Amino acid sequence: MLTGRARLAAAAAILIPAVIYLGMDSERRPDRLKKEPNPAYQLADYYIVNGQIRDYGSTGILQQQLKSTQLEHQPGLQQTVVTNPEMLIYNAHQPNRSVSSLKGIISDSDDEVILDGQVVFQDNAGTEMATTLKTESLTILPQQSLARTDARVVISNSSGTTTSVGMTINTDSGILNLLSEVTGVYHVD
C-alpha cells in the first residue's frame, strides 16, 4: 500500500503531463482567451478624444471649425476617421453653414470629406431663413466647392419641404441641383 507522499507523487506523475498537454493545445482553448490584434489602432499614429480643429485662411480669417468626439489619423490610408463630427464652415460671401453626421472620413490632402449616417447640412442656422438638408451620406469636395450625394435628400425651410434622390450643391454659389424623383410641398402663408 502506498503512503501519503507516494500517492501524491503518483497522482502528480499522472496529472502533470495531462495538464501540460491540455494547456499547450491551442485548439481546445476558448476563443475568448485568445488576444486578437485590433487593426484600427494599429493603423493610427494619433488618436484624439473630444477634439476641436480650427482652419484659418492665408489672411488669418477662420474658414472652418471641426469638433468630434473621436479623431483617429491613419497615415497608411492618408485619412482621418472622425466620430460624431460637427463642422462649421465660414464664408464671407455666403451664410455660415454647419454639417454634422455620425461618422466621417477626411482625406489628408483635404480634397474629400465623406460623411455617413444622419447627415444634417444647415444654411442660416438659427434664423427664419434657415434651410436644413438631411441625407444618409454626403461627399464634400472643398477644393471644387462641391457637395454631392446619391442618397435620398430632404430639404426643408419655413416655406416648404422638397425631397429628391441624389443632389449636388455648389457651396460657393449655393446652386443646388436635384437629380431624380423630386417632389415638393410649398406652404402658402
Side-chain angles (χ1 to χ4, degrees):
M1 187 128 232
L2 296 174
T3 64
R5 283 187 179 183
R7 278 191 226 159
L8 185 59
I14 294 170
L15 291 176
I16 288 177
V19 170
I20 290 173
Y21 172 75
L22 291 174
M24 292 178 9
D25 185 10
S26 63
E27 290 180 10
R28 295 184 188 194
R29 249 186 252 155
D31 288 338
R32 71 185 189 297
L33 295 178
K34 294 180 183 177
K35 297 272 183 173
E36 295 293 331
N38 186 339
Y41 291 113
Q42 291 177 349
L43 296 175
D45 63 346
Y46 68 82
Y47 184 83
I48 300 172
V49 175
N50 295 326
Q52 184 172 357
I53 298 172
R54 292 186 178 111
D55 185 18
Y56 293 90
S58 59
T59 59
I61 296 174
L62 182 63
Q63 290 182 324
Q64 61 187 3
Q65 179 175 293
L66 169 68
K67 291 182 183 178
S68 181
T69 57
Q70 178 177 309
L71 294 101
E72 179 181 323
H73 183 251
Q74 300 173 338
L77 299 174
Q78 299 181 349
Q79 66 186 17
T80 301
V81 177
V82 291
T83 305
N84 299 317
E86 296 177 12
M87 294 173 34
L88 295 174
I89 303 166
Y90 305 99
N91 185 330
H93 307 291
Q94 294 289 327
N96 294 339
R97 297 181 174 113
S98 67
V99 185
S100 64
S101 69
L102 296 179
K103 60 184 178 176
I105 298 173
I106 303 169
S107 69
D108 283 355
S109 59
D110 288 329
D111 63 346
E112 184 177 59
V113 177
I114 300 170
L115 301 172
D116 284 315
Q118 300 177 13
V119 179
V120 178
F121 186 98
Q122 288 188 313
D123 257 354
N124 295 311
T127 68
E128 59 183 61
M129 293 177 52
T131 300
T132 302
L133 181 146
K134 294 182 181 182
T135 187
E136 277 304 306
S137 66
L138 184 68
T139 300
I140 302 172
L141 306 168
Q143 295 170 359
Q144 298 174 27
S145 301
L146 184 69
R148 68 177 183 219
T149 185
D150 292 328
R152 183 173 186 272
V153 177
V154 177
I155 303 165
S156 57
N157 58 25
S158 60
S159 64
T161 302
T162 303
T163 62
S164 172
V165 174
M167 67 102 210
T168 61
I169 185 169
N170 182 308
T171 56
D172 282 345
S173 67
I175 296 174
L176 172 73
N177 293 311
L178 302 174
L179 301 181
S180 67
E181 300 180 37
V182 179
T183 62
V185 175
Y186 181 74
H187 303 291
V188 180
D189 291 331

